[in-house]
Amino acid sequence: MTEFIPAGSQFLSLPSPFPMKRGGALHGARVAYETWGTLSAEADNAVLIVTGLSPNAHAARNAGNPEPGWWEAMIGAGKPIDTERWFVVCVNSLGSCKGSTGPASINPATGEPYRLDFPELSVEDGADAAVAVVHALGITQLACLVGNSMGGMTALAILLRHPGIARSHINISGSAQALPFSIAIRSLQREAIRLDPNWNGGHYDDVHYPESGMRMARKLGVITYRSALEWDGRFGRVRLDSEQADEDPFGLEFQVESYLEGHARRFVRFFDPNCYLYLSRSMDWFDLAEYAEGDVMAGLAMIRVPRVLAIGANTDILFPVQQQQQIADGLRAGGAEAEFLGLESPQGHDAFLVDFERFGPAVRGFLDSL
Amino acid sequence: MTEFIPAGSQFLSLPSPFPMKRGGALHGARVAYETWGTLSAEADNAVLIVTGLSPNAHAARNAGNPEPGWWEAMIGAGKPIDTERWFVVCVNSLGSCKGSTGPASINPATGEPYRLDFPELSVEDGADAAVAVVHALGITQLACLVGNSMGGMTALAILLRHPGIARSHINISGSAQALPFSIAIRSLQREAIRLDPNWNGGHYDDVHYPESGMRMARKLGVITYRSALEWDGRFGRVRLDSEQADEDPFGLEFQVESYLEGHARRFVRFFDPNCYLYLSRSMDWFDLAEYAEGDVMAGLAMIRVPRVLAIGANTDILFPVQQQQQIADGLRAGGAEAEFLGLESPQGHDAFLVDFERFGPAVRGFLDSL
């Protein structure tokens, strides 16, 4: 059980007990976060970023950690999220293994890692934990709430459960409810981990580790994070040269296979498998329709936020652009001035992490207009 | 090692040795096939069907086997492929475990199953084996050659390697070359099988069987054979009732998960894992560009066939409709009168197996016009 906590992380102790939506409570839990820029005297220039499943809170380099972050191109002086103007906060999701309390953390009741004794995790729990950080920083209302992927779900939960928390919202490749295709993909990823004998009901260690299951889960993730269109141009049918090719029967032969293998190697030992299972399932459970008698549009329309940009890539198969269109339409029905932007990006669900040419100006334009 | 041979199968002994494209040869190999209708005195009314990865040759009920076949709605008296007019032949792919010789068959040199000693299998080998059946039946030229999915590749290989073999061709959800997204999916399916300790380098038996690997491979297959759109309407977020739901942590909860589980159960013990690996990889290797200095359109244009219908579903993510459009364009460049039809079917790659409302009239219309 390893946690992967970036240097320079800051921590907020959550109220103890911290009640969980589906029952139970955490004791002595914490949230890791990082900040950029300066909070104004009126505390009115704060931008909160809530993330996808795997990122930590180190979205960009800062005083505490000079390493580039996972959204380095987007956050900084003069960048789309301009730290000369905005005080930017990024939180690590509750349930993660990157500084916030999760299944890999020590359960104070036992002195051992929680593993599967961690209470059932909902996107809403992560939302409440993120709001605790906002309030602890002396911020009553965010200038903008930005959520990517799973963070797009978290952001909607924040807005619904904490009315008035934000003057504006950017929802990037998010969704108001999990749909069956993405549930099927995530269910299969979890099954790959659970079928690995080394998972052992969550009782693995560094020696007996569900490496095969995590490898399968990550490769399936990468396949669904990108798009066929991008890969046609990027890999085509190019083969590995003979030194790289795998001698095993049915081993690696094409560049695209080697690309997946590289992604898997960089992930399987750097994300805790039980945390992965918990966060993955929390996304399947997320459904704003729960709050409105089964009507997801009505759930969105319950949210009050003045201005909204919902944005995605038209090649995204995991959170298809129809879901971002739905977010804009639903929030507009709730009174928001809401814009939907389906970008012609070839890079699928991951486009916001790589296609800064398209996502940068969209985010910059919206924030500049505030 | 089990073969799954339908009752009433007919068999052709292939020439021995039967040379394989990538090297080696089969000795004493055979192809299973079935027929419907009556061959005309002129032998000019034959329709050959070559299949996807998993089907057997029992495409519809016939005198030898009254069980419904996998394309029952399409083949029969008065059906789109009308057996009152056409003499229909369907072959089981070489390399399969359903009657034709494959890795699960006995290697005459050892008296044991081939397993991984089976020579490397190409789509082209299956093409040559299918043509051997055509010739053995006394047919010089097919009225129409129909290929579905992998069979769409096989059909193109038949046309290229056996000029003049067919007066017309229907290519359904096929492709002229494997592209990286589908290679990635198939590579991951094969990896799931290979990572299962029970696969054991191909040396499994019924007791020690790579059940988990086959389960993962099949579920991933089903996910990519269908479409998100269909599943939104079919499953939405409906949950299993409490009796069906799985008590395991992270077990089955949504209907879509139970649907995948059902598909997996019906497959994992009814398809030989080594045969699956061989056939899957043969698709990755398939590339008509090989025949034309890397230019797939030029490869298609080398084919001579007078009339063509290339048809697919616009929700297919595994063999996207752009690939059927390419087939029509390429064959037209070779002189064919070629039509492309991208059907608005929600059912993805599998649409030709279920959406008879759309695929039936398209196939019927083309055949009627001959």
Side-chain angles (χ1 to χ4, degrees), chain B residues 131-203:
Chain B
V131 170
V133 172
V134 171
H135 289 158
L137 290 167
I139 300 158
T140 309
Q141 187 177 57
L142 297 161
C144 189
L145 170 57
V146 180
N148 304 324
S149 183
M150 181 183 85
M153 295 173 160
T154 311
L156 293 173
I158 288 175
L159 294 169
L160 185 66
R161 293 163 73 88
H162 303 273
I165 188 77
R167 291 195 297 281
S168 74
H169 170 43
I170 304 178
N171 198 296
I172 301 179
S173 303
S175 99
Q177 62 178 181
L179 288 177
F181 182 83
S182 58
I183 292 174
I185 294 283
R186 286 191 292 261
S187 173
L188 196 55
Q189 292 173 305
R190 295 193 299 270
E191 187 168 1
I193 296 169
R194 292 162 53 226
L195 282 174
D196 188 322
N198 282 335
W199 179 61
N200 189 26
H203 285 270

Side-chain angles (χ1 to χ4, degrees), chain B residues 203-222:
Chain B
H203 285 270
Y204 46 84
D205 57 33
D206 284 349
V207 178
H208 302 94
Y209 186 89
E211 177 120 14
S212 296
M214 285 292 280
R215 170 189 309 275
M216 292 293 301
R218 182 57 171 175
K219 287 189 177 183
L220 180 52
V222 174

Side-chain angles (χ1 to χ4, degrees), chain B residues 275-292:
Chain B
C275 292
Y276 189 91
L277 294 175
Y278 271 81
L279 287 164
S280 165
R281 188 176 53 174
S282 78
M283 279 193 267
D284 287 5
W285 282 336
F286 186 66
D287 184 8
L288 274 192
E290 269 182 18
Y291 297 87

Side-chain angles (χ1 to χ4, degrees), chain B:
Chain B
M1 308 299 292
T2 316
E3 296 177 84
F4 307 92
I5 307 174
S9 293
Q10 302 183 68
F11 299 96
L12 173 76
S13 293
L14 290 172
S16 186
F18 180 83
M20 304 287 274
K21 176 177 178 250
R22 293 175 64 99
L26 297 176
H27 296 264
R30 68 181 190 179
V31 177
Y33 67 97
E34 296 194 23
T35 70
W36 299 261
T38 307
L39 186 62
S40 63
E42 299 78 17
D44 63 355
N45 69 332
V47 172
L48 173 67
I49 298 168
V50 282
T51 79
L53 186 153
S54 58
N56 56 28
H58 189 60
R61 56 168 60 91
N62 52 16
N65 184 346
E67 293 289 317
W70 57 266
W71 228 16
E72 190 68 38
M74 292 291 280
I75 301 166
K79 292 183 180 175
I81 303 176
D82 189 348
T83 52
E84 303 276 327
R85 178 175 178 194
W86 306 111
F87 175 65
V88 181
V89 183
C90 182
V91 298
N92 178 233
S93 305
L94 190 71
S96 172
C97 52
K98 296 187 174 173
S100 296
T101 298
S105 308
I106 298 298
N107 179 354
T110 64
E112 297 288 325
Y114 281 103
R115 303 182 188 271
L116 300 201
D117 290 334
F118 199 78
E120 291 186 343
L121 178 74
S122 302
V123 167
E124 284 88 338
D125 302 320
D128 292 351
V131 170
V133 172
V134 171
H135 289 158
L137 290 167
I139 300 158
T140 309
Q141 187 177 57
L142 297 161
C144 189
L145 170 57
V146 180
N148 304 324
S149 183
M150 181 183 85
M153 295 173 160
T154 311
L156 293 173
I158 288 175
L159 294 169
L160 185 66
R161 293 163 73 88
H162 303 273
I165 188 77
R167 291 195 297 281
S168 74
H169 170 43
I170 304 178
N171 198 296
I172 301 179
S173 303
S175 99
Q177 62 178 181
L179 288 177
F181 182 83
S182 58
I183 292 174
I185 294 283
R186 286 191 292 261
S187 173
L188 196 55
Q189 292 173 305
R190 295 193 299 270
E191 187 168 1
I193 296 169
R194 292 162 53 226
L195 282 174
D196 188 322
N198 282 335
W199 179 61
N200 189 26
H203 285 270
Y204 46 84
D205 57 33
D206 284 349
V207 178
H208 302 94
Y209 186 89
E211 177 120 14
S212 296
M214 285 292 280
R215 170 189 309 275
M216 292 293 301
R218 182 57 171 175
K219 287 189 177 183
L220 180 52
V222 174
I223 288 173
T224 56
Y225 296 157
R226 295 300 180 120
S227 86
L229 179 68
E230 183 203 0
W231 286 2
D232 289 351
R234 185 167 171 185
F235 303 114
R237 292 184 46 79
V238 177
R239 284 175 161 84
L240 298 172
D241 60 42
S242 54
E243 283 173 29
Q244 300 168 293
D246 199 329
E247 287 301 302
D248 285 351
F250 302 100
L252 305 182
E253 175 175 347
F254 291 95
Q255 275 194 356
V256 67
E257 294 175 284
S258 167
Y259 165 83
L260 290 178
E261 183 67 22
H263 267 283
R265 284 196 189 146
R266 289 192 297 277
F267 188 79
V268 295
R269 290 282 181 169
F270 298 95
F271 204 92
D272 178 73
N274 288 336
C275 292
Y276 189 91
L277 294 175
Y278 271 81
L279 287 164
S280 165
R281 188 176 53 174
S282 78
M283 279 193 267
D284 287 5
W285 282 336
F286 186 66
D287 184 8
L288 274 192
E290 269 182 18
Y291 297 87
E293 295 175 3
D295 181 344
V296 67
M297 289 298 283
L300 282 162
M302 290 168 68
I303 289 174
R304 298 286 170 269
V305 58
R307 290 202 48 198
V308 173
L309 172 66
I311 173 179
N314 65 350
T315 49
D316 188 340
I317 58 174
L318 207 58
F319 288 68
V321 282
Q322 291 83 353
Q323 296 204 288
Q324 292 99 56
Q325 171 88 63
Q326 181 180 61
I327 289 167
D329 291 346
L331 295 179
R332 193 179 300 118
E337 182 190 329
E339 184 187 358
F340 161 68
L341 214 52
L343 297 175
E344 299 276 334
S345 174
Q347 282 149 321
H349 184 63
D350 265 1
F352 70 90
L353 292 171
V354 285
D355 187 358
F356 301 116
E357 199 180 315
R358 290 186 179 82
F359 281 77
V363 169
R364 181 194 296 275
F366 182 82
L367 289 175
D368 283 356
S369 76
L370 294 179

Side-chain angles (χ1 to χ4, degrees), chain A residues 47 49 71-86 88 144 146 170 172 309 311 352 355-370:
Chain A
V47 172
I49 298 168
W71 228 17
E72 190 67 38
M74 292 292 280
I75 301 166
K79 292 184 180 175
I81 303 176
D82 188 347
T83 51
E84 303 276 326
R85 177 175 178 194
W86 307 110
V88 181
C144 188
V146 180
I170 304 179
I172 300 180
L309 172 66
I311 174 179
F352 69 91
D355 187 358
F356 301 116
E357 200 180 314
R358 290 186 179 83
F359 281 78
V363 169
R364 182 195 296 275
F366 181 82
L367 289 175
D368 283 356
S369 76
L370 294 179

Side-chain angles (χ1 to χ4, degrees), chain A residues 3-37:
Chain A
E3 296 176 86
F4 307 92
I5 307 174
S9 293
Q10 302 182 66
F11 298 96
L12 173 75
S13 293
L14 289 171
S16 187
F18 180 81
M20 303 287 273
K21 175 177 178 250
R22 293 175 65 99
L26 297 176
H27 296 265
R30 69 180 190 179
V31 177
Y33 67 96
E34 297 194 23
T35 70
W36 299 260

